[in-house]
């Protein structure tokens, strides 16, 4: 598909703006024309044109006649200008050479000129910040989005056929490469539900200790096993990245996770671990890692570099998002910075086609104890959950790890819960196993079981109370019997 070229107007604002005002005063304008033009008073550099346009819009919306006399008088009455401005309005109206059929084109030219000035201003500001060295990656991404929106706006009115052609073109490319836009999660049962990770921001979240790391480590293992060429990247910002190798060594060698790295090895253990390490290296050679503290700007830069230089990199993981140093203006609330960072991650994923899986903790205030935490519980921003296309809640019931799809824009399977089969000693899950859980039925059964347990408990307590009463009565009766026998004995006399 060919890129659209935007032709910037050749006439400077000092010439174009008075022409627009003169044309509107001379031939008039309808409300629909002014609305469709998109021109606002802020698009004018000349203060007189800005005020004139504001009054013109108000007059047109009210159905009042528009001319140099009416607009000039309104401005004088509002003390927006003096009599000399009225003379200027009459002059530009008199000098108008634009016909009714040309007004829409002139307004379009005016709008394009204003956008060109805004784009130039955004890019100039960005260049100055970069040269000064004090730039903020999240702000730069926001500024780029502003410029991009302005650039794309003139080309927004296209036919859906363009989308159709783009879809088939991308489809052909994926088929020729033998790949899909969706990247396997590494867990077969989860892929059956959501299809895979979309090329966007994915948030995996849950309570500390709920099993997030185990699920992620298992998914990475499954990804690498499913495709011998695939690479993944891990930003281990909280606990490093050794959790991946330690858990996989435990699984490969059949060791308990807590003993990996310190337990004294016998000769047989050493041989088994050596073989396990050899098998595991085929996976770890395809895992790029970063450990330690990092700013949002450096993370975005490094992630983009990985995606650009590693064509087989298919997925990025951030563990976890709350450990990123956001920087920037200290006056900006932290949740706004987190939301801007999430937006930048989503743009990175969508522009590179590489899903970004961000691991997040939750605010535990209103989280149910017997079900998945909702997306709004994710820590880091009031609207951060709106930035993700797929959200997976990791939680546990007893010793069982579960994953619930809490948000799926296009993937399907929302509100589906998957119970995973754990390799308990290695703190991983079986990448090929998993069963869908009917939470509603489970809650019903749990409620009935709880009700039966309460009834049984009440019955047990009642039985115990009755037994105690019976025992007490028996003791009382016994004491009364012994007292009655004492009364029948002859009295003792003393000599």
């Amino acid at each position: 598909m060919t890129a659209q070229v935007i032709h910037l107007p050749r006439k400077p604002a000092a010439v174009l703006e008075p022409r627009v005002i003169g044309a509107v005063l001379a031939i008039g304008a309808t409300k629909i024309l002014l609305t469709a033009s998109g021109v606002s008073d802020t698009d004018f550099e000349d203060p007189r044109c800005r005020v004139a346009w504001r009054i013109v819009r108000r007059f047109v919306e009210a159905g009042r006649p528009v001319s140099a006399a009416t607009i000039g008088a309104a401005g004088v009455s509002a003390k927006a200008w003096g009599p000399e401005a009225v003379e200027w309005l009459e002059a530009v109206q008199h000098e108008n050479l634009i016909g009714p059929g040309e007004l829409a084109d002139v307004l379009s030219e005016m709008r394009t000129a204003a956008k060109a000035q805004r784009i130039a201003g955004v890019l100039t500001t960005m260049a100055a910040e970069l040269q000064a060295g004090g730039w903020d990656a999240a702000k730069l991404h926001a500024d780029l989005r502003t410029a991009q929106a302005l650039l794309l706006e003139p080309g927004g009115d296209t036919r859906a056929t363009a989308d159709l052609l783009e879809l088939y073109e991308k489809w052909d490319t994926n088929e020729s490469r033998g790949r899909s836009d969706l990247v396997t999660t590494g867990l077969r049962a989860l892929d059956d539900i959501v299809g895979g990770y979309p090329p966007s921001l994915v948030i995996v979240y849950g309570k500390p200790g709920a099993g997030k790391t185990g699920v992620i480590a298992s998914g990475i293992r499954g990804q690498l096993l499913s495709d011998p060429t695939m690479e993944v990247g891990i930003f281990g910002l909280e606990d490093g990245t050794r959790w991946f190798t330690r858990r996989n060594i435990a699984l490969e060698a059949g060791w308990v996770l807590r003993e990996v790295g310190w337990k004294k090895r016998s000769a047989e253990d050493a041989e088994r671990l050596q073989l396990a390490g050899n098998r595991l290296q085929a996976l770890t050679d395809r895992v790029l890692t970063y450990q330690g503290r990092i700013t949002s700007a450096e993370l975005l830069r490094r992630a983009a570099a990985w995606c650009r230089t590693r064509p087989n990199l298919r997925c990025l993981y951030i563990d976890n998002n709350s450990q990123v140093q956001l920087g920037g203006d200290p006056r900006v609330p932290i949740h706004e910075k987190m939301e801007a960072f999430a937006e930048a991650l989503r743009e990175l994923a969508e522009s590179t086609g590489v899903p970004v899986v961000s691991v997040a903790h939750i605010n535990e205030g209103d989280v149910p104890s017997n079900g998945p935490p909702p997306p709004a519980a994710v820590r880091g921003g009031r609207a951060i959950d709106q930035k993700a296309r797929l959200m997976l809640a990791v939680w546990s019931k007893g010793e069982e790890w579960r994953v619930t799809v809490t948000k799926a824009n296009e993937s399907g399977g929302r509100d589906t819960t998957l119970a995973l089969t754990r390799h308990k000693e290695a703190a991983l899950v079986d990448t090929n196993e998993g069963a869908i859980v009917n939470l509603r039925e489970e809650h019903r059964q749990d409620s009935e079981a709880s009700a039966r347990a309460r009834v049984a408990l009440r019955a047990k307590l009642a039985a115990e109370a009755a037994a105690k009463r019976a025992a007490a009565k028996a003791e009382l009766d016994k004491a009364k019997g012994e007292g009655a026998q004492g009364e029948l004995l002859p009295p003792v006399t003393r000599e």
Side-chain angles (χ1 to χ4, degrees):
M1 298 180 66
T2 57
Q4 183 181 11
V5 178
I6 300 175
H7 298 282
L8 298 180
R10 298 179 180 177
K11 299 181 181 66
V15 175
L16 187 58
E17 292 180 6
R19 288 184 68 224
V20 169
I21 298 299
V24 172
L25 295 177
I27 61 180
T30 62
K31 181 178 179 180
I32 188 64
L33 176 61
L34 296 186
T35 301
S37 72
V39 176
S40 68
D41 58 299
T42 58
D43 293 330
F44 292 87
E45 294 182 10
D46 188 327
R48 296 175 302 179
C49 293
R50 191 180 303 124
V51 173
W53 187 259
R54 194 179 303 134
I55 299 174
V56 165
R57 289 295 300 260
R58 190 165 66 245
F59 270 51
V60 169
E61 291 173 359
R64 300 171 62 182
V66 172
S67 67
T70 58
I71 300 303
V76 171
S77 176
K79 298 182 179 179
W81 51 39
E84 68 282 355
V86 179
E87 296 177 2
W88 169 76
L89 289 171
E90 292 174 347
V92 296
Q93 175 180 323
H94 177 73
E95 294 169 0
N96 174 60
L97 299 176
I98 298 173
E102 302 170 303
L103 181 56
D105 292 336
V106 174
L107 288 171
S108 177
E109 186 179 1
M110 171 70 201
R111 175 64 175 157
T112 304
K115 282 192 287 189
Q117 291 298 320
R118 291 183 182 177
I119 293 171
V122 170
L123 296 179
T124 299
T125 300
M126 290 177 61
E129 291 177 352
L130 289 170
Q131 290 173 352
W135 52 281
D136 180 351
K139 183 177 183 301
L140 286 179
H141 276 277
D143 290 342
L144 283 172
R145 289 197 302 273
T146 300
Q148 186 180 33
L150 290 168
L151 285 168
L152 293 177
E153 186 177 312
D157 299 330
T158 58
R159 297 183 185 275
T161 302
D163 295 333
L164 177 64
L165 295 175
E166 183 180 2
L167 170 64
Y168 277 104
E169 181 180 353
K170 193 169 186 180
W171 203 333
D172 290 341
T173 301
N174 286 340
E175 283 186 346
S176 65
R177 295 179 178 177
R179 61 192 291 179
S180 166
D181 281 350
L182 296 177
V183 176
T184 176
T185 65
L187 305 177
R188 183 174 298 176
L190 184 57
D191 281 348
D192 290 341
I193 297 172
V194 300
Y197 289 139
S200 187
L201 176 61
V202 178
I203 296 179
V204 177
Y205 66 99
K207 296 180 180 179
K212 298 186 297 297
T213 302
V215 171
I216 290 295
S218 303
I220 294 173
R221 176 184 174 85
Q223 288 176 321
L224 299 173
L225 290 173
S226 70
D227 182 349
T229 65
M230 179 187 290
E231 295 180 338
V232 302
I234 306 175
F235 288 90
L237 310 181
E238 185 173 35
D239 297 319
T241 57
R242 296 181 183 86
W243 44 265
F244 178 73
T245 54
R246 293 185 72 251
R247 291 170 190 246
N248 278 279
I249 279 289
L251 180 64
E252 292 281 351
W255 269 36
V256 179
L257 176 61
R258 64 177 178 272
E259 297 178 348
V260 172
W262 70 269
K263 184 179 179 181
K264 184 175 178 60
R265 296 166 291 181
S266 65
E268 183 181 347
D269 290 336
E271 182 179 357
R272 187 168 73 252
L273 288 168
Q274 182 63 47
L275 292 175
N278 293 340
R279 292 193 300 270
L280 184 57
Q281 189 173 353
L283 305 184
T284 57
D285 281 346
R286 292 183 280 129
V287 180
L288 281 70
T289 63
Y290 177 93
Q291 302 181 39
R293 301 171 67 85
I294 194 170
T295 64
S296 57
E298 176 59 17
L299 188 150
L300 290 167
R301 184 204 67 77
R302 191 176 293 268
W306 283 358
C307 294
R308 186 179 66 253
T309 58
R310 314 287 297 201
N312 290 327
L313 186 73
R314 299 299 311 280
C315 201
L316 286 170
Y317 293 88
I318 301 173
D319 180 29
N320 68 63
N321 63 0
S322 63
Q323 300 300 311
V324 179
Q325 300 174 36
L326 300 175
D329 190 342
R331 294 171 296 181
V332 177
I334 188 67
H335 72 270
E336 292 185 10
K337 292 183 179 181
M338 286 296 297
E339 291 163 15
F341 179 55
E343 179 72 19
L345 291 176
R346 185 176 70 176
E347 288 189 355
L348 171 70
E350 293 176 352
S351 63
T352 60
V354 177
V356 174
V357 182
S358 180
V359 181
H361 291 315
I362 62 173
N363 301 309
E364 300 185 39
D366 300 320
V367 175
S369 59
N370 62 341
V378 173
R379 189 181 302 170
R382 290 192 291 262
I384 194 172
D385 58 303
Q386 299 175 13
K387 309 298 182 183
R389 283 182 57 191
L390 177 65
M391 298 188 71
L392 305 173
V394 179
W395 55 291
S396 60
K397 182 175 182 181
E399 293 296 314
E400 185 178 74
W401 286 350
R402 295 180 168 188
V403 174
T404 298
V405 182
T406 55
K407 180 179 181 181
N409 286 8
E410 296 180 2
S411 304
R414 181 175 177 180
D415 296 329
T416 302
T417 294
L418 189 66
L420 302 172
T421 304
R422 287 182 63 179
H423 297 297
K424 189 174 180 181
E425 301 299 337
L428 292 172
V429 300
D430 191 322
T431 59
N432 295 314
E433 298 293 334
I436 293 178
V437 178
N438 186 332
L439 289 184
R440 182 174 297 180
E441 176 64 18
E442 185 178 76
H443 290 163
R444 184 188 67 78
Q445 293 178 1
D446 288 347
S447 296
E448 291 180 354
S450 296
R452 289 194 298 269
R454 288 194 297 271
V455 170
L457 178 61
R458 284 196 294 268
K460 178 182 177 182
L461 294 176
E464 290 176 351
K468 288 181 180 179
R469 288 195 299 272
K473 184 176 184 302
E475 288 291 331
L476 182 60
D477 291 345
K478 181 180 179 181
K480 289 181 177 179
E482 292 176 350
Q485 282 185 341
E487 293 176 359
L488 296 175
L489 295 174
V492 179
T493 58
R494 295 181 179 179
E495 295 180 358

